């Protein structure tokens, strides 16, 4: 987020969001269609109740901090990815406390806890970068390459740590239906986001990736607050997080390699 803030301006981030039709389609995909798909999957796939809860938590939380990195890898519209990320994050803070108790009766959601984690992890670093770039452009340009490299290195470290620390959870999920459900949710979300992204390829790819990559931090906040004693709920979220990271980073990289040969 800091790296992106150092390379962008507020008008660049807000410009793509002036397309009201695109904004409405993004909201439709993320907060109506993806939860609907998750609800259908838990109905069609024989999942334990705990695993189904984890799937619903993933589906209702949008606005992932990985999205700008996916946009960079796919050579998509990076300012749009930042604007989309912030928009979805803000809506998630309002949406999850209202909708989740309807989908999962008995669940209590503290919007302040969700907002606190997302503001600290995403908005504050982004705002600092934007401020430095606006006031001290030369310093921002000199720092941005180092911050970008740190961002890429951190992403690699996250991937390795998630794989190593959660290998038991992944192995334990084999045969439970959780992996199949997560893969189908990712595929359906990617397809719906891409289809609703409009005509421009660099926009469609970002909306597709942004819809498929759910907000793991928000899902974990709710899971830890309501289901800390049920490891299967956390397992579904962790398995989904790992699959999203692996599948979407691979797809984004492949899209980026072929991007010069594609037309908008």
């Amino acid at each position: 987020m800091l790296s992106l803030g150092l390379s962008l301006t507020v008008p660049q981030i807000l410009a793509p969001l002036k397309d009201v039709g695109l904004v409405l389609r993004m909201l439709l995909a993320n907060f109506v269609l993806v939860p609907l798909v998750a609800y259908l999957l838990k109905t069609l796939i024989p999942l334990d109740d705990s695993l189904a809860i984890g799937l619903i938590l993933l589906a209702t939380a949008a606005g992932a901090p990985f999205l700008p990195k996916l946009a960079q890898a796919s050579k998509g519209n990076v300012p749009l990815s930042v604007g989309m990320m912030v928009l979805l994050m803000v809506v998630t803070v309002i949406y999850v406390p209202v909708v989740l108790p309807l989908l999962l009766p008995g669940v209590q959601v503290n919007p302040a806890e969700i907002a606190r984690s997302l503001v600290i992890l995403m908005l504050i670093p982004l705002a600092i970068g934007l401020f430095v770039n606006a006031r001290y452009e030369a310093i921002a340009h000199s720092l941005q390459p180092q911050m970008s490299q740190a961002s890429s290195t951190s992403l690699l470290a996250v991937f390795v740590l998630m794989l190593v620390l959660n290998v038991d959870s992944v192995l334990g999920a084999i045969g439970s239906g959780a992996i199949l459900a997560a893969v189908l949710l990712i595929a359906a979300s990617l397809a719906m986001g891409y289809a609703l992204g409009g005509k421009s390829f660099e926009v469609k790819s970002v909306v597709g990736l942004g819809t498929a990559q759910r907000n793991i931090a928000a899902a974990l906040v709710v899971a830890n607050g309501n289901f800390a004693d049920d490891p299967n709920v956390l397992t579904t979220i962790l398995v989904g997080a790992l699959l999203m990271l692996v599948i979407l980073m691979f797809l984004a990289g492949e899209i980026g390699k072929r991007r010069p040969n594609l037309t908008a």
Side-chain angles (χ1 to χ4, degrees), residues 109-124:
V109 181
N110 184 349
E113 284 298 315
I114 298 176
R116 183 177 64 85
S117 66
L118 299 181
V119 167
I120 292 173
L121 291 174
M122 297 163 65
L123 285 187
I124 290 178

Side-chain angles (χ1 to χ4, degrees), residues 189-219:
S189 302
L190 181 68
M192 291 186 299
Y194 185 86
L196 292 172
K199 297 180 179 180
S200 170
F201 181 82
E202 66 174 7
V203 172
K204 293 170 66 171
S205 61
V206 168
V207 177
L209 292 167
T211 303
Q213 177 63 60
R214 311 310 289 168
N215 194 322
I216 306 304

Side-chain angles (χ1 to χ4, degrees), residues 1 4-5 7-9 12-14 16-17 64 67-69 71-72 77-89 122-123 126 130 206:
M1 293 301 101
L4 288 167
S7 63
L8 296 172
T9 64
Q12 283 179 310
I13 295 172
L14 294 180
L17 299 182
L67 176 55
K69 208 63 183 175
Q72 288 177 333
N77 189 320
V78 176
L80 170 63
S81 73
V82 179
M84 180 179 179
M85 175 201 71
V86 174
L87 171 67
L88 296 182
M89 181 205 72
M122 297 163 65
L123 285 187
L126 178 64
L130 290 170
V206 168

Side-chain angles (χ1 to χ4, degrees), residues 34-227:
V34 174
L36 178 60
V37 168
Y39 189 83
L40 292 175
L41 287 174
K42 84 178 187 68
T43 304
L44 298 174
I45 298 175
L47 294 172
D48 290 343
D49 289 343
S50 299
L51 298 177
I53 290 171
L55 188 69
I56 294 295
L57 292 181
L58 278 176
T60 53
F66 280 149
L67 176 55
K69 208 63 183 175
L70 292 172
Q72 288 177 333
S74 66
K75 297 182 181 178
N77 189 320
V78 176
L80 170 63
S81 73
V82 179
M84 180 179 179
M85 175 201 71
V86 174
L87 171 67
L88 296 182
M89 181 205 72
V90 171
V91 176
T92 292
V93 173
I94 302 169
Y95 171 88
V96 169
V98 174
V99 174
L100 203 55
L102 300 177
L103 297 176
L104 301 173
V107 171
Q108 296 181 347
V109 181
N110 184 349
E113 284 298 315
I114 298 176
R116 183 177 64 85
S117 66
L118 299 181
V119 167
I120 292 173
L121 291 174
M122 297 163 65
L123 285 187
I124 290 178
L126 178 64
I128 291 173
L130 290 170
F131 174 79
V132 173
N133 192 27
R135 295 292 298 272
Y136 310 102
E137 187 174 356
I139 295 176
H141 288 175
S142 65
L143 288 176
Q144 202 279 329
Q146 288 78 15
M147 292 297 100
S148 180
Q149 183 60 47
S151 174
S152 299
T153 303
S154 298
L155 182 61
L156 178 61
V158 166
F159 171 73
V160 173
L161 286 171
M162 285 185 66
L163 184 61
V164 172
L165 295 177
N166 299 301
V167 63
D168 290 339
S169 296
V170 175
L171 294 176
I174 295 175
S176 67
I179 293 177
L180 175 61
V183 170
L184 290 176
L185 180 67
I186 294 168
S189 302
L190 181 68
M192 291 186 299
Y194 185 86
L196 292 172
K199 297 180 179 180
S200 170
F201 181 82
E202 66 174 7
V203 172
K204 293 170 66 171
S205 61
V206 168
V207 177
L209 292 167
T211 303
Q213 177 63 60
R214 311 310 289 168
N215 194 322
I216 306 304
L220 286 175
V221 166
V222 179
N224 285 323
N226 293 269
F227 308 103

